[in-house]
Amino acid sequence: MSVHNGDQRVALYPEAKPEPLSGLSLCTGVGGLELGLHVAEPGYRTVCYVEREACAAATLVARMEDKALDHAPVWDDVKSFDGRPWRGKLHILTAGYPCQPFSASGKQRGKDDPRHLWPHVARIIRECEPEWVFCENVEGHLDRGFEQVAGELQAMGYSLKAGLFSAAEVGASHIRKRLFILAHADDKSLLLPDGHPDRGGGVPLQDRNRPEGQPARHRQCSTGVDNFLADDEGTGADQPAKSALPVFAPAPCDLEAWNTHLSGRLDLQPELLGLADGLANRVERSRAAGNGVVPLAAAHAWRTLRAEFLIREGGG
């Protein structure tokens, strides 16, 4: 702000610069949620990771070195992590807590499973009181444990939206349907740190399975979660310049597409049964990929669910 004094312009105080969003990542895995937020919220910065799996933690360090992820400390156990020093210093807490207690393919032991880490995530949320909480889990979480998570978030003073989003929605050849939960603190304004309700921008999220990369249509992809569900809206915009390779690999049966891509990149060759060759590092990589979050799906979920909060705030 400034005032005019004759021909001179006197500054009363400098214009405020947008404050970047900062986040704490719990049960980080190989960083899929964090990569998604970097796409959806330009300027987002992760200030701490919590991950106990050695292979996943090593992957995080590698991604820090190649600057795909932010440099930040990695804590090795969510059970011993103290969120109190982070109170007032975070905008977003992300958590991809283990899916085994809820997965339809597991023993479905829910809260009796020793890998049930939601209580520790909830404790840390109470300790650091972030504005936003962004969580991801398997589809089976809807039937096992979601009611507890939603109830505890509401008891902590959060409103929430949730929905099922798939990797196929953002152009992948596989489905990988996941539940995403976004909660916002009731005692905090919905205006994000730059003072504008919709930061928008970022890399457009498009469905590459549709002609000319058209965005997803209204209610075409997400599945309802009672009163918490957000409508699934695409965010299409002009697609950035194409790279030499597609964002996602072609479907396994799409031999013509594989031939097109591999013939132009002789340095890339397919492997037969490569993930089952008995090498420990390949097993760990396969496990990380199987449990991982597709970053573009996370970005799409964040934008869609956040937009629902903004629509509610604006009375739309």
Side-chain angles (χ1 to χ4, degrees):
M1 179 177 178
S2 61
V3 297
H4 288 280
N5 181 11
D7 293 331
Q8 295 182 335
R9 189 175 180 88
V10 181
L12 297 181
Y13 51 84
E15 297 291 342
K17 294 183 179 179
E19 180 185 358
L21 294 173
S22 59
L24 166 65
S25 175
L26 306 180
C27 307
T28 308
V30 294
L33 276 176
E34 303 308 297
L35 290 170
L37 279 173
H38 277 288
V39 171
E41 294 289 349
Y44 171 76
R45 174 171 173 74
T46 310
V47 295
C48 185
Y49 307 92
V50 182
E51 175 54 53
R52 66 175 299 174
E53 294 286 346
C55 179
T59 301
L60 293 178
V61 173
R63 297 292 75 77
M64 292 183 217
E65 290 302 312
D66 65 21
K67 299 182 179 180
L69 288 173
D70 299 308
H71 280 266
V74 181
W75 192 266
D76 66 353
D77 192 353
V78 71
K79 296 180 180 179
S80 63
F81 186 82
D82 186 359
R84 290 171 293 182
W86 297 98
R87 182 175 296 180
K89 301 176 182 178
L90 301 169
H91 299 104
I92 306 173
L93 181 145
T94 66
Y97 45 92
C99 66
Q100 290 88 344
F102 320 113
S103 176
S105 61
K107 296 182 179 179
Q108 303 177 26
R109 296 177 62 187
K111 64 181 180 180
D112 295 325
D113 194 306
R115 295 164 294 187
H116 182 43
L117 296 183
W118 166 252
H120 298 283
V121 173
R123 169 185 59 81
I124 295 170
I125 293 171
R126 293 187 187 96
E127 292 174 344
C128 64
E129 298 181 348
E131 177 185 354
W132 297 93
V133 177
F134 188 41
C135 300
E136 173 271 345
N137 215 284
V138 294
E139 184 178 4
H141 193 16
L142 285 174
D143 300 319
R144 289 169 290 278
F146 174 73
E147 185 175 353
Q148 175 194 357
V149 170
E152 290 191 21
L153 284 169
Q154 290 176 318
M156 284 187 268
Y158 286 86
S159 298
L160 65 143
K161 300 285 184 180
L164 294 174
F165 297 82
S166 71
E169 291 178 55
V170 292
S173 59
H174 63 299
I175 297 175
R176 193 183 293 258
K177 188 177 291 185
R178 293 292 185 266
L179 171 67
F180 288 88
I181 305 167
L182 182 62
H184 184 269
D186 294 333
D187 62 351
K188 293 181 173 63
S189 171
L190 275 170
L191 296 180
L192 291 173
D194 60 1
H196 299 287
D198 188 3
R199 294 169 68 94
V203 178
L205 307 180
Q206 296 182 334
D207 187 340
R208 294 168 184 258
N209 291 333
R210 294 187 175 86
E212 301 178 359
Q214 293 300 312
R217 295 294 184 240
H218 180 64
R219 293 184 180 273
Q220 188 166 352
C221 305
S222 290
T223 301
V225 186
D226 296 330
N227 296 326
F228 303 114
L229 175 68
D231 290 337
D232 184 9
E233 300 261 352
T235 57
D238 292 336
Q239 186 171 336
K242 289 185 177 180
S243 60
L245 293 173
V247 174
F248 295 103
C253 60
D254 193 349
L255 301 182
E256 183 178 351
W258 277 108
N259 180 65
T260 299
H261 295 307
L262 292 177
S263 63
R265 289 290 300 271
L266 299 180
D267 57 317
L268 300 177
Q269 293 298 324
E271 295 186 20
L272 297 178
L273 304 178
L275 293 178
D277 62 6
L279 297 179
N281 72 312
R282 301 306 294 271
V283 173
E284 290 178 331
R285 288 169 59 185
S286 176
R287 179 180 178 183
N291 292 334
V293 180
V294 176
L296 284 182
H300 180 41
W302 166 269
R303 283 196 188 175
T304 302
L305 297 173
R306 186 200 60 180
E308 286 298 310
F309 279 103
L310 298 174
I311 291 172
R312 183 194 67 181
E313 179 76 359

